[in-house]
Each structure stands twice: as structure tokens, then as C-alpha cells.
Amino acid sequence: MTSLKPTTRPALRVAAELNGYGHHPALSIDPRAGRPESRWVDLRRADDAGGLPHDHATIVRIQAADMAQAHRERATLRSEIQAKGGHPDDIAVLVDIAVLIAPEARSARKELMTLDSMLPGPRPSESLEYIGTPIGLASLIADLYVVGVVDGVTLLPMSEPAVLDHVVNESLPWLTLRGVYPPPKGAVLARPLR
């Protein structure tokens, strides 16, 4: 497990790109119509004024084949900002992660195999992927943030809404209990973690 040390960096950003069905290619409604429209949702808590936190002027989303590539892209982007006279923390670099999670990793892998079997060929991979449990996903997110690979993640649920439910009710509270994800003021967890 990651050793989570306090940081002076801006808080971890967790977002999701939702389309109402899922990002697995087998879930397209009609292959002739293309993919459904997506919306990007910041899953961070609101600030005291009721709005989203304003700790970054710009959010930059990246896709990366692995963590090393994500780290190199973040370092390049931060260097470019600094070379232009800005502060590296003026941007938050979020890496896309395609996710399929279930209470048991075996169930998530089985669902992925079922979805993949509906495709005419191999499923293309555009960025990082995580197939497993909500706590495993939370641990990956913590690792990516704590060691400075990225400032946050944009989750691309391969199927909705179950994946998002697991993220909100299990992954995010796990991150909060470990001091990686900021809790809302005066909040208590609605249900204990397993």
C-alpha cells in the first residue's frame, strides 16, 4: 500500500466522463450514429461558497499508455508553463483511465470479457485501464497522485451507472480516509468501508 504523506500540492482532482452508457465500444447504441455525447463531471466536493474549488486555472487532460508516459507528459506541461512565467501549479494534469470495477475483481474481468466478446476484433486501448475492485482503483489513483505522476484522473467508466456508484461510494471515501482526497467540512462517511 502507498505511504501517504501530507502534501502542499493542490488537492487531488477526480473527474469522470459520462455518456449514459459506458465507454466500452460494445455499448454504442447504434454503430451508424457513433458514440453518444459525453459530459465531463468534476467529482470533487464543492467549496464553502457552494462552487467548485478554484485551485487551478487550467485542467489539462492527457492519455498515456503507461504511468511513465503520463509522468513525462505532466513534467513537459509544467515546464512549458514555467518557461512562460507561470507557476507549474497553474495547471492540473489529469490522465484518462478506462475503468471497470466490481466488488470482486473476478466479476469485473468477467464483465469485460463479455463486453469484449461483442466486438468484431480486439478492443483498442487509448490510455491507462483499470479492471478490478473499487479499493484497487482508489489505491491506483493514490499512487498516481502521491508520487507526482499526475494531479488527478478522469475516469472513463466502461459501463454505467454501476461503476460510478462504486467510485462515489467506495473509492472516494477510501481516498478521503487516507488523507489523499479532501473531505467536505463537517462530513461523516455514510457507510463504513470494508
Side-chain angles (χ1 to χ4, degrees):
M1 186 169 97
T2 303
S3 172
L4 305 177
K5 298 177 185 173
T7 179
T8 58
R9 287 174 51 204
L12 167 68
R13 294 300 277 247
V14 179
E17 184 177 297
L18 307 174
N19 64 15
Y21 302 95
H23 287 271
H24 192 283
L27 296 177
S28 286
I29 301 171
D30 181 349
R32 296 167 293 178
R35 302 292 297 157
E37 243 184 81
S38 295
R39 61 188 166 97
W40 188 85
V41 178
D42 191 332
L43 299 177
R44 285 190 51 199
R45 274 56 166 216
D47 64 17
D48 289 335
L52 289 175
H54 302 287
D55 59 356
H56 291 293
T58 305
I59 292 175
V60 180
R61 283 180 59 184
I62 62 170
Q63 294 180 331
D66 56 38
M67 289 189 272
Q69 180 186 0
H71 187 258
R72 285 189 304 274
E73 288 190 40
R74 177 180 183 259
T76 299
L77 289 163
R78 290 171 61 86
S79 292
E80 289 172 1
I81 291 291
Q82 202 162 15
K84 294 177 183 173
H87 191 280
D89 287 339
D90 288 345
I91 62 167
V93 179
L94 278 61
V95 68
D96 286 357
I97 304 177
V99 298
L100 189 58
I101 54 177
E104 294 182 0
R106 177 179 44 220
S107 299
R109 289 190 301 272
K110 184 177 177 181
E111 184 177 354
L112 180 62
M113 286 176 39
T114 301
L115 289 169
D116 283 349
S117 72
M118 294 187 251
L119 298 174
R123 176 177 41 86
S125 177
E126 297 174 358
S127 194
L128 297 176
E129 290 186 357
Y130 178 80
I131 314 304
T133 66
I135 302 308
L137 174 63
S139 181
L140 172 63
I141 293 169
D143 288 346
L144 290 168
Y145 175 73
V146 170
V147 299
V149 173
V150 290
D151 302 305
V153 297
T154 298
L155 303 176
L156 306 167
M158 289 191 195
S159 68
E160 293 176 31
V163 168
L164 190 59
D165 182 57
H166 288 302
V167 168
V168 169
N169 293 312
E170 297 172 65
S171 302
L172 296 182
W174 187 93
L175 289 165
T176 298
L177 284 175
R178 278 140 190 93
V180 179
Y181 193 71
K185 292 192 179 200
V188 294
L189 291 176
R191 63 186 214 211
L193 292 175
R194 293 176 196 94

